[in-house]
Amino acid sequence: MARRQPALEGLGMSKSFWQDRRVLVTGASGLVGSWLTRRLLDAKADVVCLVRDWVPRSELVRARTLEQVTVVRGDVCDRDVIERAIGEYEIGTVLHLAAQAIVGVANRNPVSTFETNIRGTWNLLEACRRSPGVESIVIASSDKAYGDQEELPYTEDAPLAGRHPYDVSKSCADMIAQTCAQTYGLPVAVTRCGNFYGGGDLNWNRVV
């Protein structure tokens, strides 16, 4: 895809790459976001976190990592907030982890899941498209974006074919990221992650 390489080059997390780099992390209070933010700080990055809810038990709060970053309070569905944060803090790299990530919640509340996972992603990408200083964008997708595949194990070449609410939300967000790369040349990389687990996980239904 056009201009995707800068995002891919940055994923090595080398300190020379991240030192003093202005990074926006969405979903920073989640399991992955909390640890990623800490790692970025260790690499001397200048981190800005988009935070919607105050989650006292989050690893981000518990480890006092939140005190070491710039916090922008807002929702990923609010494009004006995202665009202001990117412009005001001169963001060069965007790591988009904000999502409704629980399958059971998605089944019970599909609309709110679609709002966060789909609309939130296109809002973020549109804000990036309108912000020429953004050099690289990483979108956290899921292996659920593949849906139920007849041939296992699936590969990255498998079609995105979600059928259930959470799966569909990830298929859509993934494809929106790809169309922004193809059509507008946005420097986007997509990661399709499996189940995460580890310290600070507040989802007690996690499959391990």
Side-chain angles (χ1 to χ4, degrees), residues 23-194:
V23 183
L24 174 66
V25 180
T26 72
S29 60
L31 171 61
V32 178
S34 294
W35 292 103
L36 176 62
T37 300
R38 181 187 293 188
R39 182 71 184 276
L40 288 167
L41 289 172
D42 289 343
K44 309 300 183 184
D46 186 354
V47 184
V48 177
C49 293
L50 180 70
V51 177
R52 184 188 67 179
D53 299 329
W54 174 255
V55 184
R57 294 187 299 158
S58 165
E59 181 67 21
L60 189 75
V61 177
R62 190 199 64 77
R64 308 189 76 167
T65 308
L66 194 66
E67 300 173 12
Q68 303 173 58
V69 302
T70 299
V71 177
V72 174
R73 297 302 299 269
D75 194 309
V76 73
C77 292
D78 189 337
R79 192 173 72 229
D80 290 340
V81 168
I82 300 170
E83 197 165 328
R84 180 189 68 79
I86 291 173
E88 190 169 307
Y89 295 105
E90 300 178 302
I91 299 298
T93 299
V94 176
L95 305 177
H96 177 47
L97 282 75
Q100 193 302 99
I102 310 302
V103 174
V105 173
N107 288 336
R108 292 190 299 271
N109 301 288
V111 173
S112 63
T113 299
F114 294 156
E115 282 279 330
T116 299
N117 296 2
I118 302 174
R119 182 182 173 195
T121 299
W122 89 51
N123 273 338
L124 177 106
L125 289 167
E126 177 62 10
C128 290
R129 189 178 73 85
R130 293 159 58 94
S131 304
V134 174
E135 300 173 348
S136 51
I137 308 158
V138 178
I139 304 293
S141 185
S142 167
D143 62 348
K144 294 292 190 295
Y146 295 114
D148 298 323
Q149 295 286 328
E150 293 183 4
E151 294 186 20
L152 295 175
Y154 44 69
T155 68
E156 289 186 358
D157 295 326
L160 303 181
R163 292 292 181 268
H164 305 291
Y166 178 75
D167 306 6
V168 167
S169 76
K170 286 301 185 177
S171 297
C172 289
D174 197 313
M175 294 178 72
I176 289 168
Q178 292 185 54
T179 199
C180 286
Q182 290 282 6
T183 305
Y184 303 111
L186 278 182
V188 178
V190 175
T191 64
R192 297 180 187 138
C193 310

